[in-house]
Amino acid sequence: MDLERPLPHPITPEARPYWDGLREHKLMLPHCRQCGKSFLYPRVLCPFCHAADIDWVQASGRGRLYSFEIAHQTFNKAFKVKPPYVLAMIELEEGPRMMSNLVGIEADPKRIRCDMPVEVVYEKLTYEITLPLWKPAGGAR
Ligand SMILES: [Zn+2]
């Protein structure tokens, strides 16, 4: 099988609900029951207050483009998406930020602006792995 993007491996036990959620097209976020904050990436202790009292909440799937970079070359050979593509730091409505790709828009810095509203799309790689990518909110894929 020829995959377009490298697989994130291994899936750690604390990240399992995250990957299970993506497979069902849900963006799940670890959420601290002590301080009430959501965070990424999944880990055993809350990065804000270090509590181990973690549950999971479903994110809205909306956010904004925090920063981006147009990649004209692919440095990771496992990554087969044709350049140029958009590397994006997305800030979720719930607060956490994630590194991803912005899709559904030309990789043209004149068309992409920071703070633009984005929404999640799900890209299935394998039976186990679905990745969250982002597209301009309201636009076509
Ligand atoms: Zn906390």
Side-chain angles (χ1 to χ4, degrees):
M1 187 164 36
D2 204 22
L3 295 173
E4 281 207 319
R5 296 167 207 272
L7 289 176
H9 260 303
I11 294 178
T12 53
E14 62 268 20
R16 171 60 60 188
Y18 177 76
W19 296 109
D20 286 351
L22 288 171
R23 222 163 51 212
E24 293 163 19
H25 290 193
K26 290 179 196 162
L27 183 56
M28 301 302 291
L29 296 175
H31 167 262
C32 174
R33 295 212 291 208
Q34 290 299 316
C35 71
K37 290 181 179 164
S38 297
F39 55 90
L40 277 175
Y41 53 92
R43 59 202 113 172
V44 182
L45 298 178
C46 170
F48 299 105
C49 72
H50 308 291
D53 195 4
I54 308 298
D55 63 4
W56 290 80
V57 294
Q58 185 177 349
S60 66
R62 290 187 296 270
R64 64 189 188 92
L65 183 62
Y66 182 76
S67 68
F68 71 95
E69 188 183 315
I70 312 265
H72 293 280
Q73 267 180 290
T74 302
F75 294 101
N76 184 338
K77 283 197 173 57
F79 194 94
K80 299 201 177 65
V81 177
K82 248 178 110 176
Y85 54 87
V86 186
L87 293 171
M89 180 66 85
I90 305 296
E91 185 168 280
L92 307 190
E93 215 169 52
E94 291 79 8
R97 291 177 190 159
M98 70 158 66
M99 200 63 193
S100 181
N101 293 140
L102 185 66
V103 297
I105 189 168
E106 225 179 295
D108 177 349
K110 289 193 284 294
R111 303 203 50 197
I112 302 170
R113 55 188 169 75
C114 285
D115 268 343
M116 69 194 287
V118 294
E119 58 191 41
V120 71
V121 288
Y122 299 93
E123 172 118 334
K124 184 176 181 176
L125 291 190
T126 66
Y127 173 74
E128 265 229 306
I129 305 288
T130 295
L131 290 181
L133 306 180
W134 297 82
K135 64 169 186 162
R141 168 80 205 253

